[in-house]
Amino acid sequence: MPAAVLLETIQGEGGINLASFSWLCSLEQVCRQHDILLIVDDIQVGCGRTGTFFSFEEAGISPDIITLSKSLSGFGLPLAMVLMKPELDRWKPGQHNGTFRGNNLAFITAKAALENYWQDDLFSDSLKPKSNFLRTRLEKIIYNNGGEELVSVRGRGMIQGIECKTGELASKILKKCFKNGMIIEACGSQDEVIKCLAPLTISQEELENGITILEESIREVLGNT
């Protein structure tokens, strides 16, 4: 019998592969039935990336252990954290130590981020229209540049992307975006997914400009200008 299940609710580097809420709930049931720990890796898709602080909140599951990092400091500083249910905390004082822990400044900025962004629903609510706008524009890009080259839109919240037919095509689009003034990356087993991972605090104007650059770059590469 396995001791634990470790998963990402959305595989970031794996290609923005989205786990459905029903699948997550079913998995939690299996874990509870067989006394298996459920561990969620929220390093890339936590801290508000999907609209709620934790990526699994809308699914209604309760993981035993959660890993957090990336945007946790709120200021781009290195900081990682492991959350666990009290009954699993077997650490003795000073035992949980190492050289790769958060520094004092990161702790201060993380505290400020929690106090400024997560004391109420205002920040979370502000992400919804941005997420909807991103989804609509990406779907429109695929519709307007039809054919078999652009496969689908993937993701949820502020981590979304366009799956291309090949990694070679995605690479050409990324290079064109760079030439047009925007840095954007790819993910997936063949780097075939163009990943939109904008800052959560991005303005609507900046978001629109970024998507416009992406759309124009795709048109140029596909010869649809």
Side-chain angles (χ1 to χ4, degrees):
M1 186 67 67
V5 173
L6 172 61
L7 63 97
E8 293 177 291
T9 60
I10 303 173
Q11 290 181 326
E13 299 310 307
I16 317 185
N17 299 305
L18 188 66
S20 69
F21 292 160
S22 59
W23 184 84
L24 290 171
C25 291
S26 297
L27 177 63
E28 183 183 41
Q29 281 188 332
V30 172
C31 289
R32 299 296 171 246
Q33 289 171 3
H34 298 283
D35 197 24
I36 299 172
L37 293 179
L38 179 58
I39 305 174
V40 171
D41 176 352
D42 242 8
I43 288 173
Q44 184 165 158
V45 297
C47 301
R49 177 57 57 182
T50 63
T52 54
F53 186 80
F54 295 111
S55 68
F56 52 82
E57 288 185 48
E58 289 186 86
I61 64 173
S62 179
D64 300 295
I65 298 175
I66 307 163
T67 58
L68 291 171
S69 189
K70 300 289 186 183
S71 302
L72 184 59
S73 76
F75 199 61
L77 298 172
L79 179 62
M81 184 179 294
V82 177
L83 306 178
M84 64 185 73
K85 291 183 176 179
E87 60 270 23
L88 300 175
D89 188 0
R90 305 284 181 87
W91 296 103
K92 296 179 182 179
Q95 190 175 25
H96 189 259
N97 198 9
T99 56
F100 299 99
R101 300 296 181 261
N103 58 70
N104 288 342
L105 181 57
F107 282 121
I108 292 172
T109 55
K111 180 175 181 290
L114 289 174
E115 291 175 342
N116 283 277
Y117 294 119
W118 297 105
Q119 291 301 307
D120 52 39
D121 295 329
L122 291 178
F123 181 63
S124 181
D125 289 343
S126 74
L127 298 177
K128 293 177 182 177
K130 293 179 184 178
S131 301
N132 293 335
F133 170 80
L134 180 60
R135 187 80 181 190
T136 300
R137 283 294 301 270
L138 292 180
E139 289 178 343
K140 187 176 180 180
I141 288 174
I142 289 183
Y143 180 81
N144 290 337
N145 298 273
E148 299 180 355
E149 301 298 328
L150 305 179
V151 181
S152 64
V153 176
R154 294 183 174 186
R156 177 161 59 91
M158 292 295 284
I159 176 170
Q160 299 190 46
I162 292 178
E163 179 188 2
C164 299
K165 186 176 181 180
T166 65
E168 181 181 0
L169 174 60
S171 178
K172 290 180 181 179
I173 294 171
L174 265 56
K175 290 177 181 177
K176 184 63 68 172
C177 284
F178 184 79
K179 184 178 179 180
N180 291 338
M182 182 176 69
I183 297 174
I184 191 168
E185 64 175 348
C187 59
S189 60
Q190 304 297 322
D191 283 337
E192 75 281 10
V193 180
I194 300 171
K195 182 165 65 172
C196 299
L197 200 70
L200 302 185
T201 54
I202 191 172
S203 68
Q204 183 64 27
E205 181 181 4
E206 289 172 324
L207 184 58
E208 290 180 12
N209 289 341
I211 295 298
T212 298
I213 291 175
L214 175 59
E215 183 172 21
E216 291 175 350
S217 299
I218 288 174
R219 285 177 177 172
E220 291 178 31
V221 169
L222 295 180
N224 294 332
T225 54

